[in-house]
Amino acid sequence: MAQAYSAGLTVTENIVLKKERILPLKGKVLVKKGDKVKAEDFVAETFLPGKVMPMKLANALGVLPATLNEHLKVKPGDKIKKGQILAQTSGFLGLFKSTARSPLDGEFESVSAHTGQALLREPRIPIQVRAFIDGIVVDVIPDEGVVIENKSAYVQGIFGLGNETTGLLKMLVSAPDSSAKTADITDDCKDKLIVVGSTCDLTTIEKAKEVGVRGIITGGISDTDIKELLGYDIGVAITGHEEIGLTLVVTEGFGKISMARKTFELLQKFEGKKASIHGRTQIRAGVIRPEIIVPLDFDEDELVAQKPRMSTLDIGGMIRIIREPNFGKIGRIIKLPESLVVVESETKVRILEAELEDGQTVTVPRANVEVIEL
Amino acid sequence: MAKDKLTRILATDCGSTTTKAILIEYIDGEYRQTIRGEAPTTVEAPLNDVTKGVLNAVNEVEELAQLEYKNPNIKFITDDGILMPRDGEIGVDAYVSTSSAGGGLQMMVTGVVARMTGESAERAALGAGAIVMDLIASNDKRPNYEKIERIRQLRPDMILMAGGVDGGTTKHVAELAELVAAADPKPRLGSSYKLPIIYAGNKDATNIVKETLQDNVDLIITENLRPKLEMENLGPARDKIHDLFMEHVMAQAPGYNKLMSWTKGPINGEVKNIPIMPTPAAVGNIMQKVAKVENIEALGVDIGGATTDVFSVFTEEFVFNRTVSANLGMSYSISNVLASSGLENILRWVPFDINRADLRNMIKNKMIRPTTIPQKLDELVLEQAIAKEALRLAFLQHKEFAVSLKGMQQNRGISDAFDQSVSGGTIVNMMTLDLLVGSGGVLSHAPRRHQSVMMMLDAFLPEGITRLAVDSIFMMPQLGVLAEISEQAATEVFNKDCLIHLGTSIVPVGKGKLGQSALHAKIELPDGSVFEEDIPYGEIKLVPLGPGEEAQATLTPKKGLDLGAGKNHSVSQVITGGVVGTVIDTRGRPFSLPADNQLRISLLKKWMKELKVYPEEILA
């Protein structure tokens, strides 16, 4: 039979990572190839065009659009000030002039002889892009941005909220199935990325915000708490833009779920190290998952990227169950029968048999597991 | 086309999650779908090449064909593509494909009046298989600067600009063009090419639109899609959308250039490239063909992971409509079903009590891991409850969109004076609907076909006498594109392998009292036996009538109920069977569930038991 593929989240102590840092519009790149950069450094900047304000100029003057040009006091491309006269009729014997003044500071962009409409543009808005990860600039895309590469310990989350941030990792629990309490969030959590174990309730998140925590890394979270936190129900999973005062990375899913041991031990190993995280999640059309990136020291010749590949289900391979029953449990594949099997819901599916960590043998639809890379 | 040239056809549908491949073969004088395979779609990282998923899916078809025909030499692919033309055991005669991967085709449309030219533009875009991200109209309530911001932020694949009837005012169209120019919109996939904009508005404004836009965008001019108020001409705009979809959108998506070079087949004896079709356009294609061939009104739904599409062909003119509910689906968008319908509306379909927080977490976990399937029975029941709400909401949107043209002058005689119908009313008529087809995983792959019937009854609330069917393995997209090279192959496979006939629903319309007589049904079954019963109000009754079987039914509604011939009037007609049978639903229309929780649960269990929807243990 064809190989069985199964998506999985990457959790590894050592990965060569490439990050494109691209401006939303063309602009200026501030670094050059070979530069070593820190996560906080700006690598590119540009100006977003200001908002456009259409103005019915012909109507304001009471003239025909085709004759509007005769009355203009400015020309396309001119800088304009709020209150400045844009157009004026000559009136009758110098009297009864109609005047149109600019409602904003900015630029007089264009005027239409068909509609009599002028377009005014507000001043440009500066935008700067940071490196986000410590690393080396390996490529410069002229006018657009850079590619930064490094060697990192790396954890992909399943869901997150909030944008990019950096901080030192701090463990608040000693086991992946425990969960941090509100009292565990002390002043020394300020500016840190805290690892809270299997779950994190709303009061703990509120306390973390109060203390100045930059990011929370948790195994699970209750959707009811997320709704309370945001003030609305997430409809489609496109997140990362929320301004909730910190960044949240969920590694396993919704509900109280032990953090995968491998993930927990990795974070434990790098406690006190600087990490870059973000909560951006997009499930469809260009999958984006939250990331926890801990930059490692490296020599440049170590930066050889691994070939991308799809995880496969193989006998002896480790899997994590990602749906009830046994959601969150880890097991080793012991059988991969080819024929379809009817499960409790009467669905006929391809399954695998796995031995869980407690020795129990279970049958799971192949669609309900993730491969854990060793 | 000579039949001997087309004996083995491969067709794929590259969905956002899964790439599905089917093999169609010419066997014993007819086309049949024989083997299918599937694999995860690989348009995104890490593989970034749609053809890898296609090869994996076709590889499965190849291996299954080798097993089926006990012939290890059968081969369809190499590492470089599909083997063509067929030479004995090797290769196929044609390969066609549809695609909705990478978010499908995303468009923005403009019109002068939102409910007139704007709506026509929306209909053209939807009919071409697009998701309409926004409709910008001169008369929508937003101030112009907001419209400009919106156009700039959207980043569609293309824009369709309509506006004005021919000979009408050009000023509003010019203003819309100026707004679009001011926004300087960029295409979604990369900034290496100019955004395509199709202008299909007032022909008198063409030059103004050209002057305003042609320097900064890729402007394509086509015929006005609403040349007169009482006339739509959507064909030319739809054709342009398809052309641009291939040239711009597909060409930008990872691996599609390669895939486009693979899709080929004989047309008039010559092997030619066959354009990849957007999946929903292909489904619309096959729906329209079937409605016309059978002279029926048909309604189809495809509930996917991210979106739900509803297609309908109504009225004697076979008016086709398609709507996309972009954020109603069973995986990526499942959480939005909850947000749109509310928890209570989902829970009303569940015949047991459940912890609300657990349900919320289950829904979110499905959203973030969209490819998982319910292993436990209670999770299946919950997913099907969510599906009913997604379908109900999508259908509601469809009914609001599928309307007669607005703005038409109507000649009214004395006899029409008290008629409430106005231009712009929905043309969706559940009483005259002949065929309701469900597709998409939750309907097509339901463990019991009875579950599909229950979901379709509860979500669409058919009225009168309606045939129900599901697309067995969701092959309507592949058949829709196949129809482009062989209508015969497409329709033969549609009738023999694609549709699984579930049966016929018989639903009197009106309200009654629980237990009161609602319908006298006499059904003369093919084995000579007769089912004859007075069916009380508030019941579901299943009368077995197998696939391919027919029965003469004489149905008399009571107490003011109506089966299409008028209140209390009998209907006598031949009904067709299916894998589920004939379902008599006297729960009333409009349909409502009791507010009392215990009564609601006991009624749900009773209906589900009668219809054999779930195993007994969960309904005890």
Side-chain angles (χ1 to χ4, degrees), chain A residues 356-373:
Chain A
L356 302 183
E357 285 173 319
D358 61 6
Q360 190 194 348
T361 301
V362 292
T363 297
V364 197
R366 294 188 189 183
N368 291 358
V369 300
E370 275 173 359
V371 171
I372 297 178
E373 302 282 352

Side-chain angles (χ1 to χ4, degrees), chain B residues 430-450:
Chain B
M430 294 309 280
M431 189 58 101
T432 56
L433 175 70
D434 297 288
L435 174 66
L436 173 57
V437 183
S439 68
V442 71
L443 289 172
S444 294
H445 294 170
R448 294 185 182 195
R449 298 290 181 199
H450 306 69

Side-chain angles (χ1 to χ4, degrees), chain A residues 1-2 52 112 114-115 117 223 233-235 252 254 285-287 289 323 344-346 349 363 365 368 370, chain B residues 44 63 144-145 178 182 211 306 332 335-336 360-361 364-365 368-369 372-375 377 379 383 448:
Chain A
M1 286 303 296
V52 174
S112 165
H114 300 296
T115 60
Q117 182 167 254
D223 181 48
D233 219 336
I234 292 174
E252 316 301 317
F254 289 88
V287 177
R289 294 285 189 189
R323 185 147 184 175
E344 185 200 303
S345 63
E346 298 185 335
V349 287
T363 297
N368 291 358
E370 275 173 359
Chain B
E44 286 160 2
E63 287 177 355
N144 279 350
Y145 69 88
E178 283 168 17
E211 275 171 39
Y332 301 106
S335 183
N336 200 55
R360 293 189 70 92
N361 286 338
K364 287 292 191 293
N365 280 321
I368 56 174
R369 291 191 168 99
T372 60
I373 52 174
Q375 181 174 0
L377 187 55
E379 291 209 348
E383 277 203 12
R448 294 185 182 195

